[in-house]
């Protein structure tokens, strides 16, 4: 399914032109137009999924293969010191475009990109309880 008013549906399917780093039957990989760093790329499925919550297993499985391939090419191209591969789901997690996309962000020592959190503290019991609660909802 494509969504009529979705900019990433239009880009992924060539309705709006954008230079592709990589393209196959299921994905187009483009450069982010508001990059965190030079070479910041986005993996876009050609089908519309709002985010990971509505994505099927087959597409979810393929997306990281594409991301890894492009990450290796970006690494080779720019000789960066690291790469973040990340993906935001829902507004609370920083999602601003509601068509699933995976970010590939080249990182350089002392760059200004900010991907981080303050580590919390948990007991063994809390870890076990949390793992059990999540396990019950796997499908
Ligand atoms: P997120 O906040 O995870 O939803 O990321 C959305 C990303 O899409 C941001 O990094 C934007 O810079 C990028 N973006 C928005 N519109 C476009 C566009 N037309 N072409 C390329 N990147 C875009
Ligand atoms: Zn879409």
């Amino acid at each position: 399914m494509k969504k009529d008013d979705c900019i990433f549906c239009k880009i992924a399917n060539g309705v709006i032109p954008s230079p592709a780093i990589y393209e196959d039957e299921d994905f187009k990989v483009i450069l982010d137009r508001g990059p965190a760093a030079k070479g910041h790329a986005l993996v876009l499925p050609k089908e519309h999924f709002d985010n990971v919550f509505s994505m099927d297993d087959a597409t979810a499985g393929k997306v990281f293969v594409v991301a890894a391939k492009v990450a290796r090419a970006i690494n080779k191209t720019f000789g960066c010191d690291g790469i973040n591969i990340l993906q935001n789901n829902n507004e609370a997690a920083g999602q601003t475009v509601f068509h699933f996309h995976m970010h590939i962000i080249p990182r350089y020592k002392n760059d200004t990109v900010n991907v981080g959190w303050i580590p919390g503290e948990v007991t063994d019991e809390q870890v076990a309880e949390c793992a059990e609660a999540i396990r019950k909802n796997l499908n």
Side-chain angles (χ1 to χ4, degrees):
M1 280 270 295
K2 319 296 187 254
K3 204 168 166 211
D4 283 347
D5 59 349
C6 173
I7 182 142
F8 280 2
C9 275
K10 291 193 171 86
I11 292 173
N13 292 282
V15 178
I16 296 175
S18 181
I21 293 174
Y22 172 87
E23 184 166 10
D24 65 22
E25 200 184 323
D26 302 310
F27 298 97
K28 184 179 262 191
V29 182
I30 63 164
L31 287 166
D32 194 303
R33 296 303 291 254
K38 188 179 170 72
H40 180 169
L42 301 173
V43 182
L44 311 179
K46 292 186 175 180
E47 292 297 310
H48 181 90
F49 306 95
D50 284 348
N51 50 42
V52 78
F53 301 123
S54 58
M55 178 169 263
D56 64 274
D57 286 355
T59 309
K62 287 179 197 165
V63 73
F64 206 80
V65 176
V66 173
K69 183 191 288 290
V70 172
R72 288 190 291 268
I74 289 172
N75 194 42
K76 198 169 168 186
T77 305
F78 298 111
C80 45
D81 299 310
I83 286 192
N84 290 118
I85 298 177
L86 60 89
Q87 194 272 312
N88 301 324
N89 301 285
N90 282 352
E91 207 175 322
Q95 186 176 9
T96 59
V97 178
F98 291 85
H99 173 123
F100 179 100
H101 50 281
M102 191 164 266
H103 293 266
I104 303 170
I105 305 176
R107 298 298 306 271
Y108 299 90
K109 279 179 192 136
N110 305 317
D111 68 22
T112 57
V113 180
N114 183 16
V115 182
W117 55 86
I118 300 166
E121 285 180 22
V122 283
T123 63
D124 289 350
E125 290 73 23
Q126 286 168 326
V127 169
E129 194 183 316
C130 188
E132 191 189 348
I134 297 167
R135 227 168 21 237
K136 285 181 181 156
N137 287 310
L138 289 177
N139 55 33

